[in-house]
Amino acid sequence: MGDAMDRCDPCSGELAPGKTTLEIWRGDQLVVIRDVPADVCLQCNEAYISPNVSERLDHFLVECHQHQPEQYLSVPQYSAAQAMDEP
Ligand SMILES: [Zn+2]
């Protein structure tokens, strides 16, 4: 591998080792994975995940239904029509 990025693509900010939370749609189901190791931009918070981590997450997502989730989140959903409808 190697070839690690040391600068943020959009803003050229400096990257530092950190963690991020991923929200991944699988069909009509939203899956959240927290504390994913990533290089995080110190300026804009953009997170970069290594190919190795990404691959392991891909494997996990295939069989994630076999694992008991930490918790279930309930999130509000709105339509763009609602969001953009002036009162
Ligand atoms: Zn950035």
Side-chain angles (χ1 to χ4, degrees):
M1 295 277 111
D3 203 30
M5 257 191 304
D6 51 5
R7 287 282 159 180
C8 178
D9 215 24
C11 82
S12 301
E14 196 178 333
L15 301 182
K19 285 176 176 170
T20 190
T21 298
L22 297 179
E23 303 91 30
I24 301 148
W25 283 98
R26 289 180 46 75
D28 59 359
Q29 194 186 23
L30 177 62
V31 174
V32 177
I33 305 179
R34 69 168 177 89
D35 287 350
V36 176
D39 287 329
V40 181
C41 175
L42 298 175
Q43 277 193 78
C44 75
N45 245 19
E46 179 80 13
Y48 296 87
I49 296 159
S50 73
N52 177 43
V53 170
S54 174
E55 191 178 325
R56 286 165 63 185
L57 293 179
D58 282 347
H59 282 289
F60 173 74
L61 285 167
V62 170
E63 46 145 56
C64 66
H65 57 276
Q66 297 173 18
H67 298 258
Q68 178 67 32
E70 280 186 333
Q71 65 169 326
Y72 284 91
L73 305 174
S74 174
V75 300
Q77 171 181 301
Y78 303 96
S79 72
Q82 271 181 298
M84 295 186 289
D85 189 28
E86 300 289 339

Coordinates of all heavy atoms in Angstrom, one line a residue:
M1 N 0.8 -1.2 0.0 CA 0.0 0.0 0.0 C 0.9 1.2 0.0 O 1.5 1.6 -1.0 CB -0.9 0.0 1.2 CG -1.9 -1.1 1.2 SD -3.4 -0.8 0.2 CE -3.2 -1.9 -1.1
G2 N 1.1 1.8 1.2 CA 1.8 3.1 1.3 C 1.0 4.2 0.6 O -0.2 4.1 0.6
D3 N 1.7 5.2 0.0 CA 1.0 6.2 -0.7 C -0.1 6.9 0.1 O -1.1 7.3 -0.4 CB 0.4 5.6 -2.0 CG 0.1 6.6 -3.0 OD1 0.9 7.6 -3.1 OD2 -0.8 6.5 -3.8
A4 N 0.2 7.0 1.4 CA -0.8 7.7 2.3 C -0.9 9.2 2.0 O 0.2 9.8 1.8 CB -0.5 7.5 3.7
M5 N -2.1 9.7 2.0 CA -2.2 11.1 1.7 C -1.8 11.9 3.0 O -2.1 11.5 4.1 CB -3.7 11.5 1.4 CG -3.9 11.7 -0.1 SD -5.5 12.4 -0.3 CE -6.6 11.2 0.4
D6 N -1.2 13.0 2.9 CA -0.8 13.8 4.0 C -1.5 15.2 4.0 O -1.3 16.0 4.9 CB 0.7 13.9 4.3 CG 1.4 14.4 3.0 OD1 0.7 14.7 2.0 OD2 2.6 14.4 3.1
R7 N -2.3 15.4 2.9 CA -3.0 16.7 2.8 C -4.4 16.4 2.4 O -4.7 15.5 1.7 CB -2.3 17.6 1.8 CG -1.0 18.2 2.2 CD -1.2 19.4 3.1 NE 0.0 19.6 3.9 CZ 0.0 20.6 4.8 NH1 -1.0 21.4 5.0 NH2 1.1 20.8 5.5
C8 N -5.3 17.3 2.9 CA -6.7 17.1 2.6 C -7.0 17.6 1.2 O -6.4 18.6 0.7 CB -7.5 18.0 3.5 SG -9.3 18.0 3.2
D9 N -7.8 16.8 0.4 CA -8.0 17.1 -1.0 C -8.7 18.4 -1.2 O -8.2 19.3 -1.9 CB -8.8 15.9 -1.6 CG -8.4 15.7 -3.0 OD1 -7.3 16.0 -3.4 OD2 -9.2 15.1 -3.8
P10 N -9.9 18.6 -0.6 CA -10.6 19.9 -0.9 C -9.9 21.1 -0.3 O -10.0 22.1 -1.0 CB -12.0 19.7 -0.1 CG -12.0 18.2 0.3 CD -10.7 17.7 0.2
C11 N -9.3 21.0 0.9 CA -8.9 22.3 1.5 C -7.4 22.3 1.7 O -6.9 23.3 2.2 CB -9.6 22.6 2.8 SG -9.0 21.7 4.2
S12 N -6.6 21.3 1.4 CA -5.2 21.2 1.6 C -4.8 21.3 3.1 O -3.6 21.7 3.4 CB -4.5 22.3 0.8 OG -4.7 22.2 -0.6
G13 N -5.7 21.1 4.0 CA -5.4 21.1 5.4 C -4.5 19.9 5.8 O -4.4 19.0 5.1
E14 N -4.0 20.0 6.9 CA -3.1 19.0 7.4 C -4.0 17.8 8.0 O -5.0 18.1 8.7 CB -2.2 19.5 8.6 CG -1.0 18.6 8.9 CD -0.1 19.3 9.9 OE1 -0.1 20.5 10.0 OE2 0.5 18.5 10.7
L15 N -3.5 16.6 7.7 CA -4.3 15.4 8.2 C -3.6 14.9 9.5 O -2.4 14.9 9.6 CB -4.3 14.3 7.2 CG -5.0 14.7 5.9 CD1 -5.0 13.5 4.9 CD2 -6.4 15.2 6.1
A16 N -4.4 14.4 10.4 CA -3.8 13.8 11.6 C -4.6 12.6 12.0 O -5.8 12.5 11.6 CB -3.9 14.8 12.8
P17 N -4.0 11.5 12.5 CA -4.7 10.3 12.9 C -5.8 10.6 13.9 O -5.6 11.4 14.8 CB -3.6 9.5 13.6 CG -2.3 10.1 13.2 CD -2.6 11.5 12.9
G18 N -7.0 10.0 13.6 CA -8.1 10.3 14.5 C -9.2 9.3 14.2 O -8.9 8.1 13.7
K19 N -10.4 9.6 14.5 CA -11.5 8.7 14.3 C -12.7 9.4 13.7 O -12.9 10.6 13.9 CB -12.0 8.1 15.7 CG -11.0 7.0 16.2 CD -11.4 6.5 17.6 CE -10.4 5.4 18.0 NZ -10.6 5.0 19.4
T20 N -13.5 8.6 13.0 CA -14.7 9.2 12.4 C -15.9 8.2 12.6 O -15.7 7.1 12.9 CB -14.5 9.5 10.9 OG1 -15.5 10.3 10.4 CG2 -14.3 8.2 10.1
T21 N -17.1 8.7 12.3 CA -18.3 7.9 12.3 C -18.8 7.8 10.9 O -18.9 8.8 10.2 CB -19.3 8.6 13.2 OG1 -18.8 8.6 14.6 CG2 -20.6 7.7 13.2
L22 N -19.1 6.6 10.5 CA -19.6 6.4 9.1 C -21.0 6.1 9.1 O -21.5 5.3 10.0 CB -18.8 5.2 8.5 CG -17.3 5.4 8.2 CD1 -16.7 4.1 7.6 CD2 -17.0 6.6 7.4
E23 N -21.8 6.7 8.2 CA -23.2 6.3 8.0 C -23.3 5.7 6.6 O -22.9 6.3 5.6 CB -24.1 7.5 8.1 CG -24.0 8.3 9.4 CD -22.9 9.4 9.3 OE1 -22.6 9.9 8.2 OE2 -22.3 9.7 10.4
I24 N -23.7 4.4 6.5 CA -23.7 3.7 5.3 C -25.1 3.2 5.0 O -25.7 2.5 5.8 CB -22.7 2.5 5.4 CG1 -21.3 3.0 5.7 CG2 -22.7 1.7 4.1 CD1 -20.4 2.1 6.5
W25 N -25.6 3.5 3.8 CA -26.9 2.9 3.4 C -26.6 1.6 2.8 O -25.8 1.4 1.9 CB -27.5 3.8 2.4 CG -28.2 5.0 3.0 CD1 -27.6 6.3 3.1 CD2 -29.4 5.1 3.7 NE1 -28.5 7.1 3.8 CE2 -29.6 6.4 4.1 CE3 -30.4 4.1 3.9 CZ2 -30.8 6.8 4.8 CZ3 -31.6 4.5 4.6 CH2 -31.7 5.8 5.1
R26 N -27.4 0.6 3.3 CA -27.4 -0.8 2.6 C -28.8 -1.0 2.2 O -29.7 -1.3 3.1 CB -26.9 -1.9 3.6 CG -25.4 -1.8 3.9 CD -24.9 -2.9 4.8 NE -25.5 -4.2 4.5 CZ -25.0 -4.9 3.5 NH1 -24.1 -4.5 2.7 NH2 -25.6 -6.1 3.2
G27 N -29.1 -0.8 0.9 CA -30.5 -0.9 0.5 C -31.2 0.3 1.2 O -30.8 1.4 1.1
D28 N -32.4 -0.1 1.9 CA -33.1 1.0 2.5 C -32.8 1.0 4.0 O -33.5 1.7 4.8 CB -34.6 0.8 2.3 CG -35.1 -0.5 2.8 OD1 -34.3 -1.3 3.4 OD2 -36.3 -0.8 2.7
Q29 N -31.7 0.4 4.4 CA -31.3 0.4 5.8 C -30.0 1.2 6.0 O -29.1 1.1 5.3 CB -31.0 -1.1 6.3 CG -31.0 -1.2 7.8 CD -30.6 -2.6 8.3 OE1 -29.9 -3.3 7.6 NE2 -30.9 -2.9 9.5
L30 N -30.1 2.1 7.0 CA -28.9 2.9 7.4 C -28.1 2.2 8.5 O -28.7 1.9 9.5 CB -29.4 4.3 7.8 CG -28.3 5.3 8.2 CD1 -27.3 5.5 7.1 CD2 -28.9 6.5 8.7
V31 N -26.8 2.0 8.3 CA -26.0 1.4 9.3 C -24.9 2.5 9.7 O -24.4 3.2 8.9 CB -25.3 0.2 8.7 CG1 -24.2 -0.4 9.7 CG2 -26.3 -0.9 8.3
V32 N -24.7 2.6 11.0 CA -23.7 3.5 11.5 C -22.6 2.8 12.2 O -22.9 1.8 13.0 CB -24.4 4.5 12.6 CG1 -23.3 5.4 13.2 CG2 -25.5 5.3 11.9
I33 N -21.4 3.1 11.9 CA -20.2 2.5 12.5 C -19.4 3.7 13.1 O -19.0 4.6 12.4 CB -19.3 1.7 11.5 CG1 -20.2 0.7 10.8 CG2 -18.2 1.1 12.3 CD1 -19.4 -0.1 9.8
R34 N -19.2 3.6 14.5 CA -18.5 4.7 15.1 C -17.1 4.3 15.4 O -16.7 3.2 15.4 CB -19.3 5.1 16.4 CG -19.2 4.0 17.5 CD -19.7 4.6 18.8 NE -19.7 3.6 19.9 CZ -18.6 3.4 20.7 NH1 -17.5 4.1 20.5 NH2 -18.6 2.5 21.6
D35 N -16.3 5.4 15.7 CA -14.9 5.2 16.1 C -14.1 4.5 15.0 O -13.2 3.6 15.3 CB -14.8 4.5 17.4 CG -15.2 5.3 18.6 OD1 -15.4 6.5 18.4 OD2 -15.3 4.8 19.7
V36 N -14.3 4.8 13.7 CA -13.5 4.2 12.7 C -12.2 5.0 12.6 O -12.2 6.2 12.4 CB -14.3 4.3 11.3 CG1 -13.4 3.8 10.2 CG2 -15.6 3.6 11.4
P37 N -11.1 4.2 12.6 CA -9.8 4.9 12.5 C -9.6 5.6 11.1 O -10.0 5.0 10.1 CB -8.7 3.8 12.7 CG -9.5 2.5 12.9 CD -10.9 2.8 12.8
A38 N -9.2 6.8 11.1 CA -9.1 7.6 9.9 C -8.1 8.7 10.1 O -7.7 9.1 11.2 CB -10.5 8.2 9.5
D39 N -7.6 9.2 8.9 CA -6.9 10.5 8.9 C -7.9 11.6 8.8 O -8.6 11.7 7.8 CB -5.8 10.5 7.8 CG -4.7 9.5 8.1 OD1 -4.4 9.3 9.2 OD2 -4.1 9.0 7.1
V40 N -7.9 12.5 9.8 CA -8.9 13.5 9.8 C -8.2 14.9 9.5 O -7.2 15.2 10.1 CB -9.6 13.6 11.1 CG1 -10.7 14.6 11.2 CG2 -10.2 12.2 11.4
C41 N -8.8 15.7 8.6 CA -8.3 17.0 8.3 C -8.5 18.0 9.5 O -9.6 18.1 10.1 CB -9.0 17.6 7.1 SG -8.6 19.3 6.7
L42 N -7.4 18.6 9.9 CA -7.5 19.5 11.0 C -8.3 20.8 10.7 O -8.8 21.5 11.6 CB -6.1 19.9 11.5 CG -5.2 18.7 12.0 CD1 -3.8 19.2 12.3 CD2 -5.8 18.1 13.2
Q43 N -8.5 21.1 9.4 CA -9.2 22.3 9.1 C -10.7 22.1 8.9 O -11.5 22.8 9.4 CB -8.6 22.9 7.8 CG -7.4 23.7 8.0 CD -7.0 24.5 6.7 OE1 -7.7 25.5 6.5 NE2 -6.0 24.1 6.0
C44 N -11.0 21.1 8.0 CA -12.4 20.9 7.6 C -13.1 19.6 8.2 O -14.2 19.4 7.9 CB -12.6 21.0 6.1 SG -12.1 19.5 5.3
N45 N -12.3 18.8 8.9 CA -12.8 17.6 9.5 C -13.1 16.5 8.5 O -13.7 15.4 8.9 CB -14.1 17.9 10.3 CG -13.8 17.6 11.8 OD1 -12.7 17.6 12.2 ND2 -14.9 17.5 12.5
E46 N -12.8 16.6 7.2 CA -12.9 15.6 6.3 C -12.1 14.3 6.7 O -11.0 14.5 7.2 CB -12.4 16.0 4.9 CG -12.5 15.0 3.8 CD -13.9 14.9 3.2 OE1 -14.8 15.8 3.5 OE2 -14.2 13.9 2.5
A47 N -12.7 13.1 6.7 CA -12.0 12.0 7.1 C -11.6 11.1 6.0 O -12.4 10.9 5.0 CB -12.9 11.2 8.1
Y48 N -10.4 10.6 6.1 CA -9.9 9.7 5.0 C -9.6 8.3 5.6 O -8.8 8.2 6.6 CB -8.6 10.2 4.4 CG -8.8 11.5 3.7 CD1 -8.8 12.7 4.4 CD2 -9.2 11.5 2.3 CE1 -9.1 13.9 3.7 CE2 -9.4 12.7 1.7 CZ -9.4 13.9 2.4 OH -9.6 15.1 1.7
I49 N -10.2 7.3 5.0 CA -10.1 5.9 5.6 C -9.1 5.1 4.7 O -9.2 5.2 3.5 CB -11.4 5.3 5.6 CG1 -12.3 6.0 6.6 CG2 -11.4 3.8 6.0 CD1 -13.8 5.8 6.4
S50 N -8.2 4.4 5.3 CA -7.2 3.6 4.6 C -7.9 2.5 3.8 O -9.0 2.0 4.2 CB -6.1 3.1 5.5 OG -6.7 2.0 6.2
P51 N -7.3 2.1 2.7 CA -7.9 1.0 1.9 C -8.1 -0.3 2.8 O -9.0 -1.0 2.6 CB -6.9 0.7 0.8 CG -6.1 2.0 0.7 CD -6.1 2.6 2.0
N52 N -7.1 -0.5 3.7 CA -7.2 -1.7 4.6 C -8.4 -1.6 5.5 O -9.2 -2.6 5.6 CB -5.9 -1.7 5.4 CG -5.9 -2.9 6.4 OD1 -6.3 -4.0 6.1 ND2 -5.5 -2.6 7.7
V53 N -8.6 -0.5 6.1 CA -9.8 -0.3 7.0 C -11.1 -0.4 6.2 O -12.0 -1.1 6.6 CB -9.7 1.0 7.7 CG1 -11.1 1.3 8.4 CG2 -8.6 1.0 8.7
S54 N -11.1 0.2 5.0 CA -12.3 0.2 4.2 C -12.6 -1.2 3.8 O -13.8 -1.6 3.8 CB -11.9 1.0 2.9 OG -13.0 1.0 2.0
E55 N -11.6 -2.0 3.4 CA -11.9 -3.4 3.0 C -12.5 -4.2 4.2 O -13.4 -5.0 4.0 CB -10.5 -4.0 2.6 CG -10.7 -5.4 1.9 CD -9.4 -5.9 1.4 OE1 -8.5 -5.1 1.0 OE2 -9.2 -7.2 1.4
R56 N -11.9 -4.0 5.4 CA -12.4 -4.7 6.6 C -13.9 -4.3 6.9 O -14.7 -5.2 7.2 CB -11.5 -4.5 7.8 CG -10.2 -5.3 7.6 CD -9.1 -4.8 8.6 NE -9.5 -5.0 10.0 CZ -8.8 -4.6 11.0 NH1 -7.7 -4.0 10.8 NH2 -9.1 -4.9 12.2
L57 N -14.2 -3.1 6.7 CA -15.6 -2.6 6.9 C -16.5 -3.2 5.9 O -17.6 -3.6 6.2 CB -15.6 -1.1 6.9 CG -14.9 -0.4 8.0 CD1 -15.1 1.1 7.8 CD2 -15.4 -0.8 9.4
D58 N -16.0 -3.3 4.6 CA -16.8 -3.9 3.6 C -17.2 -5.4 3.9 O -18.3 -5.8 3.8 CB -16.1 -3.9 2.2 CG -16.1 -2.6 1.6 OD1 -16.9 -1.7 2.0 OD2 -15.3 -2.4 0.6
H59 N -16.2 -6.1 4.4 CA -16.4 -7.5 4.9 C -17.4 -7.5 6.0 O -18.3 -8.4 6.0 CB -15.1 -8.2 5.3 CG -14.3 -8.6 4.2 ND1 -14.6 -9.7 3.3 CD2 -13.1 -8.1 3.7 CE1 -13.7 -9.8 2.4 NE2 -12.7 -8.9 2.6
F60 N -17.3 -6.6 7.0 CA -18.2 -6.6 8.1 C -19.6 -6.3 7.7 O -20.5 -6.9 8.2 CB -17.7 -5.5 9.1 CG -18.7 -5.3 10.3 CD1 -18.8 -6.3 11.3 CD2 -19.5 -4.2 10.3 CE1 -19.7 -6.1 12.3 CE2 -20.4 -4.0 11.3 CZ -20.5 -5.0 12.3
L61 N -19.8 -5.4 6.7 CA -21.1 -5.0 6.3 C -21.9 -6.1 5.7 O -23.1 -6.2 5.8 CB -21.0 -3.8 5.4 CG -20.7 -2.4 6.1 CD1 -20.3 -1.4 5.1 CD2 -21.9 -2.0 7.0
V62 N -21.1 -7.0 5.0 CA -21.8 -8.2 4.4 C -22.5 -9.0 5.4 O -23.6 -9.6 5.2 CB -20.8 -9.0 3.6 CG1 -21.4 -10.3 3.1 CG2 -20.2 -8.2 2.4
E63 N -21.9 -9.1 6.6 CA -22.4 -10.0 7.6 C -22.8 -9.3 8.9 O -22.9 -9.9 10.0 CB -21.4 -11.1 7.9 CG -20.0 -10.6 8.1 CD -19.2 -11.3 9.2 OE1 -19.0 -12.6 9.0 OE2 -18.7 -10.7 10.1
C64 N -23.0 -8.0 8.8 CA -23.2 -7.2 10.0 C -24.5 -7.6 10.7 O -24.6 -7.4 11.9 CB -23.1 -5.7 9.8 SG -24.5 -5.1 8.7
H65 N -25.4 -8.2 10.0 CA -26.7 -8.6 10.6 C -26.5 -9.7 11.6 O -27.4 -10.0 12.4 CB -27.7 -9.0 9.5 CG -27.2 -10.1 8.6 ND1 -26.4 -9.8 7.5 CD2 -27.4 -11.4 8.7 CE1 -26.1 -11.0 6.9 NE2 -26.7 -12.0 7.6
Q66 N -25.4 -10.4 11.5 CA -25.1 -11.4 12.5 C -24.6 -10.9 13.8 O -24.5 -11.7 14.8 CB -24.0 -12.4 11.9 CG -24.5 -13.1 10.6 CD -23.4 -13.9 10.0 OE1 -22.4 -14.2 10.7 NE2 -23.5 -14.3 8.8
H67 N -24.3 -9.6 13.9 CA -23.8 -9.0 15.1 C -24.9 -8.2 15.8 O -25.7 -7.6 15.1 CB -22.6 -8.1 14.8 CG -21.5 -8.8 14.2 ND1 -20.3 -9.1 14.9 CD2 -21.2 -9.2 12.9 CE1 -19.5 -9.7 14.1 NE2 -20.0 -9.8 12.9
Q68 N -24.9 -8.3 17.1 CA -25.8 -7.5 17.9 C -25.3 -6.0 17.9 O -24.2 -5.7 18.3 CB -25.9 -8.0 19.3 CG -26.8 -7.2 20.3 CD -28.3 -7.4 19.9 OE1 -28.7 -8.4 19.4 NE2 -29.0 -6.3 20.1
P69 N -26.2 -5.1 17.4 CA -25.7 -3.7 17.4 C -25.5 -3.2 18.8 O -26.2 -3.6 19.8 CB -26.9 -2.9 16.7 CG -27.7 -4.0 16.0 CD -27.5 -5.2 16.8
E70 N -24.7 -2.2 19.0 CA -24.5 -1.5 20.3 C -25.8 -0.9 20.7 O -26.2 -0.9 21.9 CB -23.5 -0.4 20.2 CG -22.1 -0.8 20.2 CD -21.2 0.5 20.2 OE1 -21.6 1.5 19.7 OE2 -20.1 0.3 20.7
Q71 N -26.4 -0.2 19.8 CA -27.7 0.4 20.1 C -28.4 0.7 18.8 O -27.8 0.7 17.7 CB -27.5 1.7 20.9 CG -26.8 2.8 20.1 CD -26.9 4.1 20.8 OE1 -27.9 4.5 21.5 NE2 -25.8 4.9 20.7
Y72 N -29.7 1.0 18.9 CA -30.5 1.4 17.7 C -30.8 2.9 17.8 O -31.1 3.4 18.9 CB -31.8 0.7 17.6 CG -31.6 -0.7 17.0 CD1 -31.4 -1.8 17.9 CD2 -31.6 -1.0 15.7 CE1 -31.2 -3.1 17.4 CE2 -31.5 -2.3 15.2 CZ -31.3 -3.3 16.1 OH -31.1 -4.6 15.6
L73 N -30.5 3.7 16.8 CA -30.8 5.1 16.8 C -32.1 5.4 16.1 O -32.5 4.7 15.1 CB -29.7 5.8 16.0 CG -28.2 5.6 16.5 CD1 -27.3 6.3 15.5 CD2 -28.0 6.1 17.9
S74 N -32.8 6.4 16.6 CA -34.0 6.8 16.0 C -33.7 8.2 15.5 O -33.4 9.1 16.2 CB -35.1 6.8 17.0 OG -36.3 7.4 16.4
V75 N -33.8 8.4 14.2 CA -33.5 9.7 13.6 C -34.7 10.3 12.9 O -35.5 9.6 12.3 CB -32.3 9.6 12.6 CG1 -31.1 9.0 13.3 CG2 -32.7 8.7 11.4
P76 N -34.8 11.7 12.9 CA -35.9 12.3 12.2 C -35.6 12.4 10.7 O -34.4 12.5 10.3 CB -35.9 13.8 12.8 CG -34.5 14.0 13.3 CD -33.9 12.6 13.7
Q77 N -36.6 12.2 9.9 CA -36.5 12.3 8.4 C -37.4 13.3 7.9 O -38.6 13.4 8.4 CB -36.8 10.9 7.8 CG -36.8 11.0 6.3 CD -37.1 9.7 5.6 OE1 -36.4 8.7 5.8 NE2 -38.3 9.6 4.9
Y78 N -37.0 14.2 7.0 CA -37.8 15.2 6.4 C -37.7 15.1 4.9 O -36.7 14.5 4.4 CB -37.4 16.6 6.8 CG -37.4 16.8 8.3 CD1 -36.2 16.6 9.1 CD2 -38.6 17.1 9.0 CE1 -36.2 16.8 10.4 CE2 -38.6 17.3 10.4 CZ -37.4 17.1 11.1 OH -37.4 17.3 12.4
S79 N -38.6 15.6 4.2 CA -38.5 15.7 2.7 C -38.0 17.0 2.4 O -38.1 18.0 3.1 CB -39.9 15.4 2.1 OG -40.7 16.6 2.3
A80 N -37.4 17.1 1.2 CA -36.9 18.4 0.7 C -38.0 19.4 0.6 O -37.9 20.6 0.8 CB -36.1 18.2 -0.6
A81 N -39.2 18.9 0.2 CA -40.4 19.8 0.0 C -40.7 20.5 1.4 O -41.0 21.6 1.4 CB -41.6 19.0 -0.5
Q82 N -40.6 19.7 2.4 CA -40.9 20.2 3.8 C -39.8 21.3 4.1 O -40.1 22.3 4.6 CB -40.7 19.1 4.8 CG -42.0 18.4 5.2 CD -41.6 17.4 6.3 OE1 -40.8 16.5 6.0 NE2 -42.2 17.5 7.4
A83 N -38.5 20.9 3.8 CA -37.4 21.7 4.2 C -37.4 23.1 3.4 O -37.0 24.1 3.9 CB -36.1 21.0 3.9
M84 N -37.9 23.0 2.2 CA -37.8 24.2 1.4 C -39.1 25.0 1.2 O -39.2 26.0 0.5 CB -37.3 23.8 0.0 CG -35.8 23.3 0.1 SD -35.1 23.0 -1.5 CE -36.0 21.6 -2.1
D85 N -40.2 24.4 1.9 CA -41.5 25.1 1.8 C -41.5 26.3 2.7 O -41.4 26.1 3.9 CB -42.5 24.1 2.2 CG -43.9 24.7 1.9 OD1 -44.1 25.5 1.0 OD2 -44.9 24.3 2.6
E86 N -41.6 27.5 2.2 CA -41.6 28.7 3.0 C -42.9 28.7 3.8 O -44.0 28.5 3.2 CB -41.5 29.9 2.1 CG -40.2 30.0 1.3 CD -39.0 30.3 2.2 OE1 -39.1 30.8 3.3 OE2 -37.8 30.0 1.7
P87 N -42.8 29.1 5.1 CA -44.1 29.1 5.8 C -44.9 30.3 5.4 O -44.5 31.3 4.8 CB -43.6 29.3 7.3 CG -42.2 29.7 7.2 CD -41.6 29.4 5.8
Ligands
ZN1 ZN -9.8 19.7 4.8

